Amino acid sequence: MLSAVEKKSDQVYRWLLAYIDENKFSGNQRLPSENALCRKLGVSRETIRVAIDQLVAEGLVYKLKGSGTYFHREKVMTRDLNTDDALYKIGLVLQGQDTSANSGLIEGVRSVLTQEQVDLHVFLTDNKFCNERRCLETVVHQNFHGFIVDGVKSSILSPNFDCYKELYRRKIPVIFYNNFYRNLRCPRVTINDIECAHQLIGRLMDAGHSHIAGIFVYDNYQSVEKFQGMAEAMRNRGLELNDDYIKWCISDEAHNESYVRSIERFLKSIPKCTAIVCCNYIIYRLVMKTLQKMGKTVPEDYSLVCFDYSEETYRQEDVTCSVEQGFEMGRQLALRLMEMISTGECDDRNYTYVMKPILYDGHSIRKIKKVK
């Protein structure tokens, strides 16, 4: 809900400017529908239309009959949409695909970087190299003091290293989280995913499972580390990691509902499988839809564990998982970035921080033999 202190159409106008600013580097150029804005902001359609008409008059957005309202990316690129007189200007570059994780992280960052102190700009890349490049090439000239970044397809050699090297040359500090580029000397805040994998897969093996399937994202460095942890955990118990039991996908597939059919074919190809490891919450949701389509249940037919559960529903769903720590990660990122800005450091000088995983033990694991 918007406050009643100022004219509501002005508040909607500023909210839409912030929305455009956040999405101008992503593939999304469409504003939410009028009905969606009414529900989200708690105002009338007339108020929404007044605000949108102001943006149309300024040439920032245009309407297509029967389709919606879109913004001109080229025009908003050349306009500084945020004019706060803050001491610092910080960029937060997100993949943007997991809204729950993003909101927690942003709250954590804002708990340290107050609005009076910092002008925080949030940008979404859709986990695409071209969007990341467009973002970095634009903002490097806009007097930012530092950046917090979730790397794009970080297990693949990035074509955008030159952009980060230019930030380094200008002595603008960058700190990564979750996904980082190993070839850069920037600090990072991450979860100890290998330790987390040992704990999660250990829960399955303690319950007697040995035919364990895993679904991982191969262009995501964080996911690759989770796979490595799974391989280590099974090897330490004398279990073979069968390649047929591992399914790899790319990030775009993991965000496509049609991937359910591929997961179903995968599970049918390994009939001895008794347990499934989901590398993140988005994969978990697809697996659950797949099992529902197959008429299978958890844990009766398949035991299941999930990394980085980012919704608040893990207790209701009663799934054994590692809990996504967006708020604390955002807080740690903000504290470290501000220290780097104050010291003028761009290299990793003890700014990297590896967080311990937090696990929730639900009832998504069925014991298939007595534990000795």
Side-chain angles (χ1 to χ4, degrees), residues 214-249:
I215 304 178
F216 298 93
V217 182
Y218 71 75
D219 57 0
N220 179 299
Y221 185 77
Q222 191 181 14
S223 181
V224 171
E225 285 204 326
K226 293 167 183 174
F227 165 74
Q228 291 174 341
M230 176 178 175
E232 285 183 12
M234 294 182 69
R235 186 171 61 246
N236 291 347
R237 295 284 191 96
L239 296 178
E240 179 184 55
L241 181 70
N242 189 329
D243 284 36
D244 293 340
Y245 279 68
I246 302 299
K247 183 169 183 60
W248 292 99
C249 65

PDB file of all heavy atoms in Angstrom, residues 214-249:
ATOM      1  N   GLY A 214      20.189 -36.754  -9.014  1.00  0.00           N
ATOM      2  CA  GLY A 214      20.399 -35.322  -8.780  1.00  0.00           C
ATOM      3  C   GLY A 214      20.121 -34.528 -10.033  1.00  0.00           C
ATOM      4  O   GLY A 214      20.445 -34.968 -11.146  1.00  0.00           O
ATOM      5  N   ILE A 215      19.495 -33.358  -9.871  1.00  0.00           N
ATOM      6  CA  ILE A 215      19.234 -32.459 -11.001  1.00  0.00           C
ATOM      7  C   ILE A 215      19.960 -31.152 -10.729  1.00  0.00           C
ATOM      8  O   ILE A 215      19.703 -30.483  -9.718  1.00  0.00           O
ATOM      9  CB  ILE A 215      17.724 -32.227 -11.196  1.00  0.00           C
ATOM     10  CG1 ILE A 215      17.002 -33.562 -11.378  1.00  0.00           C
ATOM     11  CG2 ILE A 215      17.477 -31.313 -12.409  1.00  0.00           C
ATOM     12  CD1 ILE A 215      15.494 -33.443 -11.524  1.00  0.00           C
ATOM     13  N   PHE A 216      20.885 -30.800 -11.624  1.00  0.00           N
ATOM     14  CA  PHE A 216      21.765 -29.655 -11.413  1.00  0.00           C
ATOM     15  C   PHE A 216      21.806 -28.757 -12.649  1.00  0.00           C
ATOM     16  O   PHE A 216      21.511 -29.205 -13.762  1.00  0.00           O
ATOM     17  CB  PHE A 216      23.195 -30.128 -11.093  1.00  0.00           C
ATOM     18  CG  PHE A 216      23.287 -30.932  -9.827  1.00  0.00           C
ATOM     19  CD1 PHE A 216      23.201 -32.323  -9.857  1.00  0.00           C
ATOM     20  CD2 PHE A 216      23.449 -30.317  -8.599  1.00  0.00           C
ATOM     21  CE1 PHE A 216      23.278 -33.076  -8.696  1.00  0.00           C
ATOM     22  CE2 PHE A 216      23.528 -31.047  -7.429  1.00  0.00           C
ATOM     23  CZ  PHE A 216      23.443 -32.442  -7.482  1.00  0.00           C
ATOM     24  N   VAL A 217      22.200 -27.511 -12.431  1.00  0.00           N
ATOM     25  CA  VAL A 217      22.313 -26.516 -13.504  1.00  0.00           C
ATOM     26  C   VAL A 217      23.795 -26.338 -13.815  1.00  0.00           C
ATOM     27  O   VAL A 217      24.561 -25.897 -12.963  1.00  0.00           O
ATOM     28  CB  VAL A 217      21.686 -25.175 -13.084  1.00  0.00           C
ATOM     29  CG1 VAL A 217      21.762 -24.167 -14.221  1.00  0.00           C
ATOM     30  CG2 VAL A 217      20.240 -25.378 -12.648  1.00  0.00           C
ATOM     31  N   TYR A 218      24.210 -26.689 -15.030  1.00  0.00           N
ATOM     32  CA  TYR A 218      25.651 -26.739 -15.292  1.00  0.00           C
ATOM     33  C   TYR A 218      26.279 -25.385 -15.610  1.00  0.00           C
ATOM     34  O   TYR A 218      27.498 -25.247 -15.582  1.00  0.00           O
ATOM     35  CB  TYR A 218      25.984 -27.756 -16.390  1.00  0.00           C
ATOM     36  CG  TYR A 218      25.584 -27.389 -17.801  1.00  0.00           C
ATOM     37  CD1 TYR A 218      26.276 -26.441 -18.553  1.00  0.00           C
ATOM     38  CD2 TYR A 218      24.521 -28.040 -18.415  1.00  0.00           C
ATOM     39  CE1 TYR A 218      25.915 -26.138 -19.838  1.00  0.00           C
ATOM     40  CE2 TYR A 218      24.153 -27.747 -19.715  1.00  0.00           C
ATOM     41  CZ  TYR A 218      24.861 -26.788 -20.423  1.00  0.00           C
ATOM     42  OH  TYR A 218      24.499 -26.488 -21.712  1.00  0.00           O
ATOM     43  N   ASP A 219      25.485 -24.349 -15.938  1.00  0.00           N
ATOM     44  CA  ASP A 219      26.081 -23.040 -16.190  1.00  0.00           C
ATOM     45  C   ASP A 219      26.013 -22.139 -14.953  1.00  0.00           C
ATOM     46  O   ASP A 219      26.200 -20.931 -15.038  1.00  0.00           O
ATOM     47  CB  ASP A 219      25.429 -22.339 -17.389  1.00  0.00           C
ATOM     48  CG  ASP A 219      23.919 -22.159 -17.227  1.00  0.00           C
ATOM     49  OD1 ASP A 219      23.375 -22.576 -16.184  1.00  0.00           O
ATOM     50  OD2 ASP A 219      23.288 -21.605 -18.150  1.00  0.00           O
ATOM     51  N   ASN A 220      25.767 -22.754 -13.806  1.00  0.00           N
ATOM     52  CA  ASN A 220      25.666 -22.046 -12.537  1.00  0.00           C
ATOM     53  C   ASN A 220      26.747 -22.592 -11.606  1.00  0.00           C
ATOM     54  O   ASN A 220      26.717 -23.766 -11.244  1.00  0.00           O
ATOM     55  CB  ASN A 220      24.256 -22.275 -11.965  1.00  0.00           C
ATOM     56  CG  ASN A 220      24.029 -21.616 -10.630  1.00  0.00           C
ATOM     57  OD1 ASN A 220      24.702 -21.922  -9.652  1.00  0.00           O
ATOM     58  ND2 ASN A 220      23.047 -20.730 -10.572  1.00  0.00           N
ATOM     59  N   TYR A 221      27.720 -21.752 -11.227  1.00  0.00           N
ATOM     60  CA  TYR A 221      28.848 -22.232 -10.444  1.00  0.00           C
ATOM     61  C   TYR A 221      28.389 -22.776  -9.094  1.00  0.00           C
ATOM     62  O   TYR A 221      28.916 -23.772  -8.599  1.00  0.00           O
ATOM     63  CB  TYR A 221      29.871 -21.115 -10.240  1.00  0.00           C
ATOM     64  CG  TYR A 221      31.114 -21.595  -9.530  1.00  0.00           C
ATOM     65  CD1 TYR A 221      32.081 -22.325 -10.222  1.00  0.00           C
ATOM     66  CD2 TYR A 221      31.314 -21.363  -8.173  1.00  0.00           C
ATOM     67  CE1 TYR A 221      33.210 -22.797  -9.585  1.00  0.00           C
ATOM     68  CE2 TYR A 221      32.443 -21.826  -7.528  1.00  0.00           C
ATOM     69  CZ  TYR A 221      33.385 -22.541  -8.236  1.00  0.00           C
ATOM     70  OH  TYR A 221      34.500 -23.027  -7.604  1.00  0.00           O
ATOM     71  N   GLN A 222      27.407 -22.136  -8.517  1.00  0.00           N
ATOM     72  CA  GLN A 222      26.867 -22.569  -7.241  1.00  0.00           C
ATOM     73  C   GLN A 222      26.334 -24.001  -7.346  1.00  0.00           C
ATOM     74  O   GLN A 222      26.561 -24.839  -6.465  1.00  0.00           O
ATOM     75  CB  GLN A 222      25.751 -21.609  -6.826  1.00  0.00           C
ATOM     76  CG  GLN A 222      25.264 -21.759  -5.402  1.00  0.00           C
ATOM     77  CD  GLN A 222      24.151 -20.775  -5.095  1.00  0.00           C
ATOM     78  OE1 GLN A 222      23.562 -20.166  -5.986  1.00  0.00           O
ATOM     79  NE2 GLN A 222      23.857 -20.611  -3.824  1.00  0.00           N
ATOM     80  N   SER A 223      25.653 -24.313  -8.442  1.00  0.00           N
ATOM     81  CA  SER A 223      25.101 -25.646  -8.648  1.00  0.00           C
ATOM     82  C   SER A 223      26.200 -26.674  -8.865  1.00  0.00           C
ATOM     83  O   SER A 223      26.109 -27.816  -8.395  1.00  0.00           O
ATOM     84  CB  SER A 223      24.142 -25.637  -9.847  1.00  0.00           C
ATOM     85  OG  SER A 223      23.582 -26.908 -10.065  1.00  0.00           O
ATOM     86  N   VAL A 224      27.254 -26.284  -9.570  1.00  0.00           N
ATOM     87  CA  VAL A 224      28.377 -27.194  -9.800  1.00  0.00           C
ATOM     88  C   VAL A 224      29.024 -27.587  -8.472  1.00  0.00           C
ATOM     89  O   VAL A 224      29.391 -28.753  -8.264  1.00  0.00           O
ATOM     90  CB  VAL A 224      29.408 -26.547 -10.749  1.00  0.00           C
ATOM     91  CG1 VAL A 224      30.684 -27.379 -10.821  1.00  0.00           C
ATOM     92  CG2 VAL A 224      28.812 -26.375 -12.143  1.00  0.00           C
ATOM     93  N   GLU A 225      29.160 -26.624  -7.556  1.00  0.00           N
ATOM     94  CA  GLU A 225      29.717 -26.942  -6.237  1.00  0.00           C
ATOM     95  C   GLU A 225      28.807 -27.903  -5.469  1.00  0.00           C
ATOM     96  O   GLU A 225      29.288 -28.779  -4.741  1.00  0.00           O
ATOM     97  CB  GLU A 225      29.950 -25.662  -5.431  1.00  0.00           C
ATOM     98  CG  GLU A 225      31.155 -24.866  -5.878  1.00  0.00           C
ATOM     99  CD  GLU A 225      31.702 -23.987  -4.771  1.00  0.00           C
ATOM    100  OE1 GLU A 225      30.899 -23.483  -3.963  1.00  0.00           O
ATOM    101  OE2 GLU A 225      32.937 -23.808  -4.719  1.00  0.00           O
ATOM    102  N   LYS A 226      27.518 -27.759  -5.614  1.00  0.00           N
ATOM    103  CA  LYS A 226      26.580 -28.674  -4.951  1.00  0.00           C
ATOM    104  C   LYS A 226      26.753 -30.093  -5.495  1.00  0.00           C
ATOM    105  O   LYS A 226      26.734 -31.071  -4.735  1.00  0.00           O
ATOM    106  CB  LYS A 226      25.141 -28.194  -5.156  1.00  0.00           C
ATOM    107  CG  LYS A 226      24.830 -26.875  -4.458  1.00  0.00           C
ATOM    108  CD  LYS A 226      23.519 -26.285  -4.925  1.00  0.00           C
ATOM    109  CE  LYS A 226      23.260 -24.928  -4.280  1.00  0.00           C
ATOM    110  NZ  LYS A 226      22.058 -24.266  -4.831  1.00  0.00           N
ATOM    111  N   PHE A 227      26.935 -30.201  -6.808  1.00  0.00           N
ATOM    112  CA  PHE A 227      27.180 -31.512  -7.403  1.00  0.00           C
ATOM    113  C   PHE A 227      28.478 -32.114  -6.878  1.00  0.00           C
ATOM    114  O   PHE A 227      28.539 -33.310  -6.553  1.00  0.00           O
ATOM    115  CB  PHE A 227      27.236 -31.392  -8.930  1.00  0.00           C
ATOM    116  CG  PHE A 227      27.825 -32.599  -9.601  1.00  0.00           C
ATOM    117  CD1 PHE A 227      27.101 -33.777  -9.703  1.00  0.00           C
ATOM    118  CD2 PHE A 227      29.113 -32.560 -10.122  1.00  0.00           C
ATOM    119  CE1 PHE A 227      27.650 -34.896 -10.315  1.00  0.00           C
ATOM    120  CE2 PHE A 227      29.669 -33.672 -10.725  1.00  0.00           C
ATOM    121  CZ  PHE A 227      28.934 -34.845 -10.826  1.00  0.00           C
ATOM    122  N   GLN A 228      29.525 -31.299  -6.792  1.00  0.00           N
ATOM    123  CA  GLN A 228      30.795 -31.791  -6.268  1.00  0.00           C
ATOM    124  C   GLN A 228      30.643 -32.294  -4.836  1.00  0.00           C
ATOM    125  O   GLN A 228      31.206 -33.326  -4.461  1.00  0.00           O
ATOM    126  CB  GLN A 228      31.847 -30.686  -6.340  1.00  0.00           C
ATOM    127  CG  GLN A 228      32.274 -30.333  -7.757  1.00  0.00           C
ATOM    128  CD  GLN A 228      33.214 -29.136  -7.812  1.00  0.00           C
ATOM    129  OE1 GLN A 228      33.286 -28.343  -6.870  1.00  0.00           O
ATOM    130  NE2 GLN A 228      33.928 -28.996  -8.911  1.00  0.00           N
ATOM    131  N   GLY A 229      29.855 -31.576  -4.049  1.00  0.00           N
ATOM    132  CA  GLY A 229      29.604 -32.004  -2.681  1.00  0.00           C
ATOM    133  C   GLY A 229      28.851 -33.320  -2.632  1.00  0.00           C
ATOM    134  O   GLY A 229      29.147 -34.194  -1.790  1.00  0.00           O
ATOM    135  N   MET A 230      27.894 -33.492  -3.538  1.00  0.00           N
ATOM    136  CA  MET A 230      27.153 -34.753  -3.596  1.00  0.00           C
ATOM    137  C   MET A 230      28.084 -35.903  -3.957  1.00  0.00           C
ATOM    138  O   MET A 230      28.028 -36.988  -3.348  1.00  0.00           O
ATOM    139  CB  MET A 230      26.022 -34.642  -4.628  1.00  0.00           C
ATOM    140  CG  MET A 230      25.252 -35.941  -4.829  1.00  0.00           C
ATOM    141  SD  MET A 230      23.893 -35.730  -6.023  1.00  0.00           S
ATOM    142  CE  MET A 230      23.302 -37.433  -6.153  1.00  0.00           C
ATOM    143  N   ALA A 231      28.956 -35.684  -4.945  1.00  0.00           N
ATOM    144  CA  ALA A 231      29.895 -36.726  -5.370  1.00  0.00           C
ATOM    145  C   ALA A 231      30.823 -37.112  -4.222  1.00  0.00           C
ATOM    146  O   ALA A 231      31.075 -38.306  -3.985  1.00  0.00           O
ATOM    147  CB  ALA A 231      30.702 -36.234  -6.575  1.00  0.00           C
ATOM    148  N   GLU A 232      31.338 -36.122  -3.498  1.00  0.00           N
ATOM    149  CA  GLU A 232      32.221 -36.392  -2.363  1.00  0.00           C
ATOM    150  C   GLU A 232      31.497 -37.182  -1.277  1.00  0.00           C
ATOM    151  O   GLU A 232      32.036 -38.139  -0.720  1.00  0.00           O
ATOM    152  CB  GLU A 232      32.746 -35.077  -1.776  1.00  0.00           C
ATOM    153  CG  GLU A 232      33.819 -34.405  -2.584  1.00  0.00           C
ATOM    154  CD  GLU A 232      34.333 -33.151  -1.893  1.00  0.00           C
ATOM    155  OE1 GLU A 232      34.007 -32.953  -0.702  1.00  0.00           O
ATOM    156  OE2 GLU A 232      35.057 -32.372  -2.549  1.00  0.00           O
ATOM    157  N   ALA A 233      30.278 -36.750  -0.957  1.00  0.00           N
ATOM    158  CA  ALA A 233      29.518 -37.402   0.114  1.00  0.00           C
ATOM    159  C   ALA A 233      29.276 -38.879  -0.200  1.00  0.00           C
ATOM    160  O   ALA A 233      29.435 -39.750   0.670  1.00  0.00           O
ATOM    161  CB  ALA A 233      28.186 -36.679   0.323  1.00  0.00           C
ATOM    162  N   MET A 234      28.922 -39.177  -1.441  1.00  0.00           N
ATOM    163  CA  MET A 234      28.665 -40.567  -1.815  1.00  0.00           C
ATOM    164  C   MET A 234      29.953 -41.363  -1.859  1.00  0.00           C
ATOM    165  O   MET A 234      30.001 -42.521  -1.401  1.00  0.00           O
ATOM    166  CB  MET A 234      27.941 -40.611  -3.167  1.00  0.00           C
ATOM    167  CG  MET A 234      26.543 -40.011  -3.127  1.00  0.00           C
ATOM    168  SD  MET A 234      25.648 -40.117  -4.694  1.00  0.00           S
ATOM    169  CE  MET A 234      25.349 -41.889  -4.796  1.00  0.00           C
ATOM    170  N   ARG A 235      31.022 -40.771  -2.377  1.00  0.00           N
ATOM    171  CA  ARG A 235      32.302 -41.467  -2.431  1.00  0.00           C
ATOM    172  C   ARG A 235      32.809 -41.802  -1.036  1.00  0.00           C
ATOM    173  O   ARG A 235      33.347 -42.893  -0.790  1.00  0.00           O
ATOM    174  CB  ARG A 235      33.321 -40.614  -3.178  1.00  0.00           C
ATOM    175  CG  ARG A 235      34.658 -41.310  -3.417  1.00  0.00           C
ATOM    176  CD  ARG A 235      35.538 -40.511  -4.352  1.00  0.00           C
ATOM    177  NE  ARG A 235      35.860 -39.191  -3.835  1.00  0.00           N
ATOM    178  CZ  ARG A 235      35.462 -38.053  -4.379  1.00  0.00           C
ATOM    179  NH1 ARG A 235      34.679 -38.058  -5.445  1.00  0.00           N
ATOM    180  NH2 ARG A 235      35.805 -36.892  -3.852  1.00  0.00           N
ATOM    181  N   ASN A 236      32.626 -40.874  -0.097  1.00  0.00           N
ATOM    182  CA  ASN A 236      33.069 -41.106   1.282  1.00  0.00           C
ATOM    183  C   ASN A 236      32.331 -42.267   1.941  1.00  0.00           C
ATOM    184  O   ASN A 236      32.824 -42.865   2.893  1.00  0.00           O
ATOM    185  CB  ASN A 236      32.890 -39.839   2.122  1.00  0.00           C
ATOM    186  CG  ASN A 236      33.849 -38.739   1.725  1.00  0.00           C
ATOM    187  OD1 ASN A 236      34.809 -38.976   0.985  1.00  0.00           O
ATOM    188  ND2 ASN A 236      33.604 -37.528   2.203  1.00  0.00           N
ATOM    189  N   ARG A 237      31.131 -42.573   1.452  1.00  0.00           N
ATOM    190  CA  ARG A 237      30.348 -43.697   1.995  1.00  0.00           C
ATOM    191  C   ARG A 237      30.537 -44.968   1.162  1.00  0.00           C
ATOM    192  O   ARG A 237      29.859 -45.956   1.375  1.00  0.00           O
ATOM    193  CB  ARG A 237      28.867 -43.339   2.023  1.00  0.00           C
ATOM    194  CG  ARG A 237      28.505 -42.203   2.964  1.00  0.00           C
ATOM    195  CD  ARG A 237      28.493 -42.644   4.426  1.00  0.00           C
ATOM    196  NE  ARG A 237      27.890 -41.623   5.254  1.00  0.00           N
ATOM    197  CZ  ARG A 237      26.620 -41.608   5.640  1.00  0.00           C
ATOM    198  NH1 ARG A 237      25.813 -42.590   5.278  1.00  0.00           N
ATOM    199  NH2 ARG A 237      26.147 -40.633   6.387  1.00  0.00           N
ATOM    200  N   GLY A 238      31.433 -44.905   0.172  1.00  0.00           N
ATOM    201  CA  GLY A 238      31.679 -46.069  -0.659  1.00  0.00           C
ATOM    202  C   GLY A 238      30.610 -46.321  -1.701  1.00  0.00           C
ATOM    203  O   GLY A 238      30.490 -47.440  -2.221  1.00  0.00           O
ATOM    204  N   LEU A 239      29.823 -45.299  -2.038  1.00  0.00           N
ATOM    205  CA  LEU A 239      28.768 -45.433  -3.041  1.00  0.00           C
ATOM    206  C   LEU A 239      29.238 -44.900  -4.386  1.00  0.00           C
ATOM    207  O   LEU A 239      29.969 -43.910  -4.458  1.00  0.00           O
ATOM    208  CB  LEU A 239      27.506 -44.683  -2.605  1.00  0.00           C
ATOM    209  CG  LEU A 239      26.815 -45.187  -1.339  1.00  0.00           C
ATOM    210  CD1 LEU A 239      25.608 -44.307  -1.029  1.00  0.00           C
ATOM    211  CD2 LEU A 239      26.382 -46.641  -1.479  1.00  0.00           C
ATOM    212  N   GLU A 240      28.788 -45.531  -5.450  1.00  0.00           N
ATOM    213  CA  GLU A 240      29.132 -45.092  -6.794  1.00  0.00           C
ATOM    214  C   GLU A 240      28.162 -44.009  -7.258  1.00  0.00           C
ATOM    215  O   GLU A 240      26.947 -44.142  -7.098  1.00  0.00           O
ATOM    216  CB  GLU A 240      29.075 -46.273  -7.767  1.00  0.00           C
ATOM    217  CG  GLU A 240      29.410 -45.877  -9.199  1.00  0.00           C
ATOM    218  CD  GLU A 240      29.244 -47.038 -10.174  1.00  0.00           C
ATOM    219  OE1 GLU A 240      28.133 -47.612 -10.208  1.00  0.00           O
ATOM    220  OE2 GLU A 240      30.202 -47.359 -10.880  1.00  0.00           O
ATOM    221  N   LEU A 241      28.718 -42.947  -7.831  1.00  0.00           N
ATOM    222  CA  LEU A 241      27.882 -41.911  -8.436  1.00  0.00           C
ATOM    223  C   LEU A 241      27.708 -42.262  -9.908  1.00  0.00           C
ATOM    224  O   LEU A 241      28.616 -42.090 -10.716  1.00  0.00           O
ATOM    225  CB  LEU A 241      28.517 -40.536  -8.287  1.00  0.00           C
ATOM    226  CG  LEU A 241      27.716 -39.362  -8.871  1.00  0.00           C
ATOM    227  CD1 LEU A 241      26.461 -39.119  -8.034  1.00  0.00           C
ATOM    228  CD2 LEU A 241      28.553 -38.098  -8.928  1.00  0.00           C
ATOM    229  N   ASN A 242      26.549 -42.795 -10.240  1.00  0.00           N
ATOM    230  CA  ASN A 242      26.262 -43.231 -11.604  1.00  0.00           C
ATOM    231  C   ASN A 242      25.856 -42.041 -12.454  1.00  0.00           C
ATOM    232  O   ASN A 242      24.920 -41.304 -12.114  1.00  0.00           O
ATOM    233  CB  ASN A 242      25.130 -44.272 -11.563  1.00  0.00           C
ATOM    234  CG  ASN A 242      24.905 -44.949 -12.900  1.00  0.00           C
ATOM    235  OD1 ASN A 242      25.110 -44.360 -13.961  1.00  0.00           O
ATOM    236  ND2 ASN A 242      24.464 -46.192 -12.856  1.00  0.00           N
ATOM    237  N   ASP A 243      26.550 -41.839 -13.569  1.00  0.00           N
ATOM    238  CA  ASP A 243      26.254 -40.703 -14.451  1.00  0.00           C
ATOM    239  C   ASP A 243      24.802 -40.686 -14.910  1.00  0.00           C
ATOM    240  O   ASP A 243      24.222 -39.613 -15.126  1.00  0.00           O
ATOM    241  CB  ASP A 243      27.159 -40.735 -15.684  1.00  0.00           C
ATOM    242  CG  ASP A 243      28.574 -40.291 -15.378  1.00  0.00           C
ATOM    243  OD1 ASP A 243      29.057 -40.593 -14.272  1.00  0.00           O
ATOM    244  OD2 ASP A 243      29.196 -39.648 -16.238  1.00  0.00           O
ATOM    245  N   ASP A 244      24.207 -41.888 -15.068  1.00  0.00           N
ATOM    246  CA  ASP A 244      22.819 -41.958 -15.537  1.00  0.00           C
ATOM    247  C   ASP A 244      21.845 -41.351 -14.527  1.00  0.00           C
ATOM    248  O   ASP A 244      20.705 -41.030 -14.878  1.00  0.00           O
ATOM    249  CB  ASP A 244      22.421 -43.413 -15.795  1.00  0.00           C
ATOM    250  CG  ASP A 244      23.188 -44.021 -16.964  1.00  0.00           C
ATOM    251  OD1 ASP A 244      23.709 -43.248 -17.789  1.00  0.00           O
ATOM    252  OD2 ASP A 244      23.265 -45.264 -17.036  1.00  0.00           O
ATOM    253  N   TYR A 245      22.274 -41.206 -13.290  1.00  0.00           N
ATOM    254  CA  TYR A 245      21.422 -40.686 -12.228  1.00  0.00           C
ATOM    255  C   TYR A 245      21.564 -39.169 -12.046  1.00  0.00           C
ATOM    256  O   TYR A 245      20.935 -38.600 -11.150  1.00  0.00           O
ATOM    257  CB  TYR A 245      21.735 -41.390 -10.906  1.00  0.00           C
ATOM    258  CG  TYR A 245      21.065 -42.742 -10.766  1.00  0.00           C
ATOM    259  CD1 TYR A 245      21.456 -43.807 -11.566  1.00  0.00           C
ATOM    260  CD2 TYR A 245      20.027 -42.943  -9.862  1.00  0.00           C
ATOM    261  CE1 TYR A 245      20.846 -45.046 -11.456  1.00  0.00           C
ATOM    262  CE2 TYR A 245      19.406 -44.172  -9.744  1.00  0.00           C
ATOM    263  CZ  TYR A 245      19.819 -45.220 -10.549  1.00  0.00           C
ATOM    264  OH  TYR A 245      19.204 -46.448 -10.433  1.00  0.00           O
ATOM    265  N   ILE A 246      22.390 -38.534 -12.886  1.00  0.00           N
ATOM    266  CA  ILE A 246      22.573 -37.086 -12.800  1.00  0.00           C
ATOM    267  C   ILE A 246      22.012 -36.436 -14.052  1.00  0.00           C
ATOM    268  O   ILE A 246      22.367 -36.804 -15.175  1.00  0.00           O
ATOM    269  CB  ILE A 246      24.065 -36.713 -12.647  1.00  0.00           C
ATOM    270  CG1 ILE A 246      24.657 -37.379 -11.406  1.00  0.00           C
ATOM    271  CG2 ILE A 246      24.225 -35.199 -12.576  1.00  0.00           C
ATOM    272  CD1 ILE A 246      23.998 -36.971 -10.098  1.00  0.00           C
ATOM    273  N   LYS A 247      21.133 -35.478 -13.856  1.00  0.00           N
ATOM    274  CA  LYS A 247      20.563 -34.731 -14.984  1.00  0.00           C
ATOM    275  C   LYS A 247      21.070 -33.297 -14.944  1.00  0.00           C
ATOM    276  O   LYS A 247      20.935 -32.608 -13.926  1.00  0.00           O
ATOM    277  CB  LYS A 247      19.036 -34.747 -14.928  1.00  0.00           C
ATOM    278  CG  LYS A 247      18.393 -34.043 -16.127  1.00  0.00           C
ATOM    279  CD  LYS A 247      16.911 -34.301 -16.178  1.00  0.00           C
ATOM    280  CE  LYS A 247      16.276 -33.651 -17.408  1.00  0.00           C
ATOM    281  NZ  LYS A 247      16.852 -34.177 -18.673  1.00  0.00           N
ATOM    282  N   TRP A 248      21.667 -32.866 -16.049  1.00  0.00           N
ATOM    283  CA  TRP A 248      22.175 -31.496 -16.156  1.00  0.00           C
ATOM    284  C   TRP A 248      21.246 -30.685 -17.053  1.00  0.00           C
ATOM    285  O   TRP A 248      20.738 -31.178 -18.059  1.00  0.00           O
ATOM    286  CB  TRP A 248      23.579 -31.484 -16.756  1.00  0.00           C
ATOM    287  CG  TRP A 248      24.621 -32.082 -15.863  1.00  0.00           C
ATOM    288  CD1 TRP A 248      25.133 -33.346 -15.917  1.00  0.00           C
ATOM    289  CD2 TRP A 248      25.264 -31.440 -14.766  1.00  0.00           C
ATOM    290  NE1 TRP A 248      26.065 -33.530 -14.929  1.00  0.00           N
ATOM    291  CE2 TRP A 248      26.172 -32.373 -14.207  1.00  0.00           C
ATOM    292  CE3 TRP A 248      25.174 -30.171 -14.196  1.00  0.00           C
ATOM    293  CZ2 TRP A 248      26.975 -32.076 -13.113  1.00  0.00           C
ATOM    294  CZ3 TRP A 248      25.975 -29.853 -13.113  1.00  0.00           C
ATOM    295  CH2 TRP A 248      26.861 -30.810 -12.573  1.00  0.00           C
ATOM    296  N   CYS A 249      21.045 -29.439 -16.686  1.00  0.00           N
ATOM    297  CA  CYS A 249      20.262 -28.539 -17.536  1.00  0.00           C
ATOM    298  C   CYS A 249      20.927 -27.176 -17.539  1.00  0.00           C
ATOM    299  O   CYS A 249      21.839 -26.903 -16.752  1.00  0.00           O
ATOM    300  CB  CYS A 249      18.824 -28.428 -17.046  1.00  0.00           C
ATOM    301  SG  CYS A 249      18.657 -27.652 -15.416  1.00  0.00           S
TER     302      CYS A 249
END
